[in-house]
Amino acid sequence: MKEILIGLNAISAYGLYGAAGFLLGIGYLFFITRVKSRDFDDLVYIYVWAALGAIVGAKVLYILLEIPNIARTVGSGEADLWPYLGSMVSGGFVFYGGLLGAVLAVKTASRYFSLDYVETLSLMTPAMPLAHAFGRVGCAVVGCCYGRESRVGIGIRYVDSMYAPNGVCLYPVQAIEAAADLVIFGALVFTLLKRADACEKPGIFEKYLVMYACTRFLLEFLRGDSVRGHLGWLSTSQWISIIILLWIGMQRMLIKKKQGRE
């Protein structure tokens, strides 16, 4: 992993960019709470809970997807169970697991602080793609979540990555996703600022899910790393994206059907 030396300490580039995204998320919360006249302190507490929930959720889903590999590796005698599980804990995250963990943490924390869950989630939603964008920049720096070999000669070439194949021109899929996350962030903030009642409805989070699910589904075709689960021709993340889009579509249909009866 690429490291940046500061004094006597070595800080991983991925962790550095992740921390930057987290801090910028706090900056966004400071801005939006001032605009919407909401309490900044409460949202920051919940934001920290959401970050912890995201880490746990991303790690749990990663381990669940790795169960077949764990069983095969340990069963064949290539590695001992506990050291191998330790390596699983120390590296590897799955974004959708982190998203679920963050949402559950926001819901739990909202109840704890006696805040409206929908409003809290709506205000915090733009912070998710903002922080994620910087996390993806970190991925691009260290080489994890890398893209397939680029046949058009335009891409990124690693020379000392521990994850991506070195000396091969790869699609910069991490950078593309980071840019898409920033666009999504801008669209969500614009919606919150344009509509006075935007944070009182679940539409902000749904809009984020739709935009990201579509983006992730398409970008998965450019991914080249093999440390992802697959089912048939699609990756686990693509199937999750499809389920999200179908679920939101069904919810919308039920709402319209209910409104038609009233």
Side-chain angles (χ1 to χ4, degrees):
M1 177 176 289
K2 189 175 182 62
E3 294 181 337
I4 298 174
L5 298 179
I6 302 178
L8 299 177
N9 299 317
I11 303 176
S12 72
Y14 183 84
L16 189 64
Y17 281 101
F22 176 80
L23 293 176
L24 284 173
I26 293 179
Y28 154 75
L29 291 178
F30 180 82
F31 164 75
I32 201 66
T33 51
R34 292 298 180 272
V35 174
K36 293 292 184 180
S37 300
R38 299 297 192 276
D39 189 90
F40 172 68
D41 292 340
D42 285 346
L43 278 187
V44 167
Y45 293 141
I46 296 176
Y47 182 64
V48 173
W49 281 42
L52 294 175
I55 293 173
V56 173
K59 178 60 64 177
V60 168
L61 185 55
Y62 171 73
I63 293 176
L64 290 176
L65 293 176
E66 283 293 305
I67 286 178
N69 292 331
I70 295 173
R72 183 173 59 255
T73 302
V74 175
S76 63
E78 297 178 21
D80 294 328
L81 176 59
W82 294 113
Y84 191 73
L85 287 179
S87 68
M88 293 290 100
V89 173
S90 63
F93 296 93
V94 176
F95 170 75
Y96 274 128
L99 180 61
L100 177 60
V103 171
L104 292 177
V106 171
K107 189 167 188 177
T108 301
S110 296
R111 290 180 177 178
Y112 180 82
F113 288 104
S114 301
L115 297 175
D116 182 81
Y117 164 65
V118 172
E119 180 179 270
T120 302
L121 181 61
S122 296
L123 289 172
M124 292 185 62
T125 292
M128 298 179 186
L130 178 61
H132 190 210
F134 280 81
R136 282 305 188 204
V137 172
C139 288
V141 172
V142 302
C144 62
C145 308
Y146 57 87
R148 292 164 44 200
E149 182 176 357
S150 175
R151 300 296 182 181
V152 296
I154 300 175
I156 185 170
R157 192 185 305 271
Y158 294 97
V159 294
D160 60 351
S161 174
M162 295 174 57
Y163 308 100
N166 294 301
V168 180
C169 186
L170 306 173
Y171 287 112
V173 64
Q174 312 101 315
I176 296 173
E177 185 169 346
D181 276 327
L182 291 178
V183 171
I184 293 173
F185 166 74
L188 296 176
V189 173
F190 177 78
T191 302
L192 280 172
L193 296 178
K194 184 178 180 180
R195 295 174 49 188
D197 63 340
C199 60
E200 300 171 5
K201 299 179 181 180
I204 293 294
F205 185 64
E206 289 185 357
K207 179 176 290 189
Y208 166 56
L209 287 179
V210 169
M211 289 190 291
Y212 182 76
C214 292
T215 300
R216 184 61 181 269
F217 182 87
L218 295 174
L219 288 180
E220 282 290 301
F221 289 114
L222 297 180
R223 288 278 289 268
D225 54 316
S226 59
V227 194
R228 296 172 296 135
H230 281 79
L231 181 60
W233 293 98
L234 301 178
S235 69
T236 302
S237 293
Q238 285 177 314
W239 284 114
I240 295 176
S241 297
I242 291 173
I243 291 172
I244 288 175
L245 293 173
L246 290 176
W247 177 75
I248 292 177
M250 290 178 62
Q251 292 295 315
R252 289 295 183 182
M253 288 177 61
L254 290 174
I255 291 175
K256 289 184 178 180
K257 187 175 182 181
K258 183 178 179 180
Q259 291 175 344
R261 291 177 178 176
E262 295 177 351

